[in-house]
Amino acid sequence: MVVGPVTRRHRVVPSRRNYPGPVRDKTQTNSVEPGDRLIRAGVLVFFIGALATLVTVAPFLLGTTPFPTYMFGLSMLMGVGFVLAGAGVFRSIGAGRRQARVGR
C-alpha cells in the first residue's frame, strides 16, 4: 500500500538531436529485409503441417479408421516450417549485424 503521494514520471522520448546515430524521418513499411521471405514461407509451411497434424490425430480421438501413412509425413512439415523460419531469423540477424558494421 502506498502511504505518500504517488509520483508520476514524464516519459522521456529522445529527440533527433540527442539520439545516437542516424534517424530516418519516415519508416518504409514496404521494404523487404533479408530473411523476411524465408520467415513467411516457414510460417506458411508450419501452419500447413499443424493442420495436417490435427487431421492425422483426429481419427485417433474420434475412434475412426486412421489416415494413410503419408499423412504422418505431412505432419513433419511443422518441423520443416520451424527450421525455415529460424533460418530466416538468423539471416535477418546477420544482415542487421553486417549493416551495423558498415554503418560505423
Side-chain angles (χ1 to χ4, degrees), residues 16-38:
R16 258 199 267 170
R17 292 184 303 269
N18 62 2
Y19 192 77
V23 178
R24 290 189 215 161
D25 287 340
K26 297 178 183 175
T27 303
Q28 298 174 354
T29 57
N30 60 352
S31 62
V32 178
E33 298 290 325
D36 283 353
R37 288 188 183 133
L38 268 176

Side-chain angles (χ1 to χ4, degrees), residues 3-23:
V3 178
V6 178
T7 59
R8 295 182 187 243
R9 294 183 182 189
H10 296 286
R11 295 181 77 195
V12 178
V13 179
S15 68
R16 258 199 267 170
R17 292 184 303 269
N18 62 2
Y19 192 77
V23 178

Side-chain angles (χ1 to χ4, degrees), residues 69-90:
T69 309
Y70 69 87
M71 286 299 290
F72 293 102
L74 285 178
S75 297
M76 297 298 137
L77 288 177
M78 275 178 54
V80 172
F82 189 75
V83 168
L84 276 174
V89 167
F90 284 123

Side-chain angles (χ1 to χ4, degrees), residues 9 12 40 43-44 46-47 51 53 55 59 65 67 76 80 95:
R9 294 183 182 189
V12 178
R40 289 179 184 155
V43 167
L44 182 69
F46 180 86
F47 280 120
L51 182 65
T53 301
V55 168
T65 58
F67 283 103
M76 297 298 137
V80 172

